[in-house]
Amino acid sequence: MEREWLDFEMASDPTSTLDWKALFRVPGFPFFFFAMFVSLFGTGMNFAGVTWFVLGATHSTVKVSLIVILVTLPGLVVPPFGGVLIDRVDRRYLGIILDATRAVIVLGTAALAYVGRLAMWELYSMVFLLGIGFAVYWSTTNALVQELVPKEQLLTANATVLIAVQGGMTAAGALVGFMYERAGLAGILGIDGTTYLISAICLFLLRDGYYAPHEAHNTRLTSASPTIEAPPEMSEPSLMRTEESMSPESNVFADIVEGLKYLREQPRVLALGITYSCMMAGVISANILVAALAKNPLKRALRLDKIRLAALEAVLRLYADPDRLAQRLPAVRLLARPRDEIATLAQRLLQATTAALDGVASVEIVETSSQIGSGALPVSLLPSAGLALAPTRRGGNAVEALAQALRSLPIPVIGHIDSDRLILDLRCLEDEAAFLTQLNGLQSHRASFETRPARRSSG
């Protein structure tokens, strides 16, 4: 009576808002939901942990990509055969066996990792076997949910299952870094194996009795009466064969041929399958790129922290007032500075600079170009003007010594060397007085300019 009442409640208005409460009142569905959540949580932990371990051990993105191949390859080969198996045995028992088998494999690998005897081929073998198990498990659970809820509520049930799947994977992504840092690969695999055991227990508690999919509607079953009966509309007559004379092998291949025929006759189903496969391949393959980026030391240089984000926000707020932008943002003001203004500044500084560097270097005004740099405009140039300093003593490393002396001032003065002259681009100079005061400090370096011998060529 309870089952009939729930079926009526959930199917009374299929177009209404999804009734999550009614769905979780279906006997066994809460166990199914939790089984999917913990199983995918462990799968997510496993995949990320193994990827980091292989990258750290081999420093090879090719070896990491092999993990992706071993995970996805079974999904291309196993489903046609796994689907036939799913239609012949109790899907709940099959899910339990798959969870228990994967738990044994993962916990065994975890033990090898814990004692330090895990070889790389053993890790790859585990990944491949888990890929086979997951390919069958995913199809099994998708078919099992049809036995738990009425046809009219499958949309809600499938959406809820996806919430469990994505929730488990998301939770794994949030915790895997913390766990890997403290427990290593052995700890990650131990958690994964434990989640498979929990999932198997949940499926065991889902209902009682044994149900072969093709016989769920047959009242002549000799097994115990189940808590949840598969409704007649959930049977799959198109896949059922009554030819008793056919061998089991013939039945298997006949079902595979029939499935391929169905895909040819249903191009939309085939298109959806291809689309989903491409999407999952992209999601999983992205792991290779993430591993490669994590290996590159630029990761830390490009990673934004709170200070940089706060500075970026403060700069962006200045653009809200474009009339005052040049006044408040030095970078914009200096980039937009006219060349004539810079040339006038050079004229004003020429005499004082010549006097300050008397006996050290000759000074003249030159036309130059300001290189903007940065990631957006790395080679763009702006016309500018500057002062060219030519050391009085020629040859050797006189220009380098002069550049080093200027950089050693309390407020460093930085220029670039061109044809034995040190060019000071004046585009970014705004405090003339401080600049001239700085030049007086060069007198302490005069001795080094006058007495340092020039380097002679050996030829």
Side-chain angles (χ1 to χ4, degrees), residues 223-239:
S223 59
S225 176
T227 303
I228 302 175
E229 297 180 359
E233 61 269 21
M234 290 297 100
S235 61
E236 301 167 356
S238 62
L239 298 176

Side-chain angles (χ1 to χ4, degrees), residues 47-48 50-52 64 67-68 281-292:
F47 188 65
V50 169
T51 299
W52 291 344
V64 174
I67 296 175
V68 178
V283 171
I284 296 176
S285 299
N287 199 55
I288 302 174
L289 299 177
V290 172

Side-chain angles (χ1 to χ4, degrees), residues 4 9-10 70-71 91 106 140 225 235 314 347 433:
E4 294 176 356
E9 179 185 25
M10 292 191 293
L70 294 175
V71 169
R91 291 156 180 170
V106 173
T140 302
S225 176
S235 61
Q347 289 287 352

Side-chain angles (χ1 to χ4, degrees), residues 349-365 386-393 398-399 401-407 409 413 421-424 426 435-450:
L349 293 175
L350 179 60
Q351 184 176 357
T353 304
T354 301
L357 297 178
D358 182 34
V360 174
S362 61
V363 184
E364 63 176 330
I365 298 175
L387 299 176
L389 313 182
T392 303
R393 180 177 55 81
V399 178
L402 178 59
Q404 175 62 38
L406 290 172
R407 290 196 300 269
L409 294 173
V413 176
R421 296 186 302 175
L422 180 63
I423 309 298
L424 303 181
L426 300 179
F435 171 73
L436 294 175
T437 302
Q438 286 268 96
L439 293 183
N440 294 327
L442 284 178
Q443 298 302 324
S444 61
H445 296 272
R446 180 183 296 273
S448 64
F449 297 146
E450 295 176 348

